[in-house]
Amino acid sequence: MSTDLVALVRRRPDLYALADGLVAMGEPLELRGGDPEPTLVYDAEGRLLVSIEDAVQVTAQSEIRRLLGPEFAGRVTAPVWWVDIRAVADLPDAERVARRYADSLVHWAGGTVYPDGISEGPARSWKASDQGGGPSGAASGQDGAAYHGGVIGG
């Protein structure tokens, strides 16, 4: 069974930059796909480890509560960028890489990881205050359309 994580982050994430950071830290990874397909992360032997969906902005707190439950929804405040991260089953490194990716994403963009995230922390990036995680970015549309209904996270 795969391991599914959801990163709820304050600003629109740059998925490739973060993956490049993992590679720079010594992870022997290869990226394929992306935009509009999921970004696929492979190990050095060409085995699929992780699938990362494009970020979707969620502006309604009620959507977080509906999808993740009231207890978890109390840990994060909309608007956020929702990123699904799935580790394939039966490869020990897959879950580790997915967890490291999700934790790094939250570290740099602020937010929390579902299902076991702690209270959201502040973004560590100097860009976080001027990117579409807040109301001004959502209103201006600078970081893409806001989520308005339907199923998110595919």
Side-chain angles (χ1 to χ4, degrees), residues 26-72:
E27 291 284 350
L29 305 172
E30 178 185 342
L31 300 180
R32 298 182 198 162
D35 198 22
E37 300 297 318
T39 300
L40 303 176
V41 181
Y42 291 83
D43 67 9
E45 287 137 28
R47 296 177 299 184
L48 176 63
L49 295 176
V50 177
S51 172
I52 306 165
E53 297 288 332
D54 283 341
V56 175
Q57 190 175 40
V58 180
T59 59
Q61 190 71 27
S62 60
E63 280 301 290
I64 299 169
R65 187 171 31 261
R66 181 179 73 83
L67 294 166
L68 302 180
E71 180 183 328
F72 193 85

Side-chain angles (χ1 to χ4, degrees), residues 111-127:
T112 191
V113 177
Y114 175 86
D116 54 358
I118 57 173
S119 297
E120 62 182 317
R124 301 288 196 271
S125 171
W126 58 273
K127 292 181 177 180

Side-chain angles (χ1 to χ4, degrees), residues 3-149:
T3 299
D4 296 341
L5 302 171
V6 177
L8 300 167
V9 296
R10 292 276 123 224
R11 65 179 174 91
R12 186 176 192 164
D14 182 342
L15 302 177
Y16 285 104
L18 210 46
D20 288 344
L22 290 178
V23 171
M25 292 186 321
E27 291 284 350
L29 305 172
E30 178 185 342
L31 300 180
R32 298 182 198 162
D35 198 22
E37 300 297 318
T39 300
L40 303 176
V41 181
Y42 291 83
D43 67 9
E45 287 137 28
R47 296 177 299 184
L48 176 63
L49 295 176
V50 177
S51 172
I52 306 165
E53 297 288 332
D54 283 341
V56 175
Q57 190 175 40
V58 180
T59 59
Q61 190 71 27
S62 60
E63 280 301 290
I64 299 169
R65 187 171 31 261
R66 181 179 73 83
L67 294 166
L68 302 180
E71 180 183 328
F72 193 85
R75 299 180 192 177
V76 64
T77 304
V80 292
W81 289 92
W82 177 295
V83 180
D84 281 317
I85 303 162
R86 291 184 181 90
V88 300
D90 301 328
L91 287 176
D93 275 350
E95 187 172 348
R96 180 188 59 77
V97 169
R99 170 56 66 183
R100 188 169 182 189
Y101 185 88
D103 290 345
S104 295
L105 190 59
V106 165
H107 175 81
W108 292 109
T112 191
V113 177
Y114 175 86
D116 54 358
I118 57 173
S119 297
E120 62 182 317
R124 301 288 196 271
S125 171
W126 58 273
K127 292 181 177 180
S129 63
D130 65 355
Q131 300 283 324
S136 62
S140 70
Q142 76 188 60
D143 277 335
Y147 175 75
H148 292 291

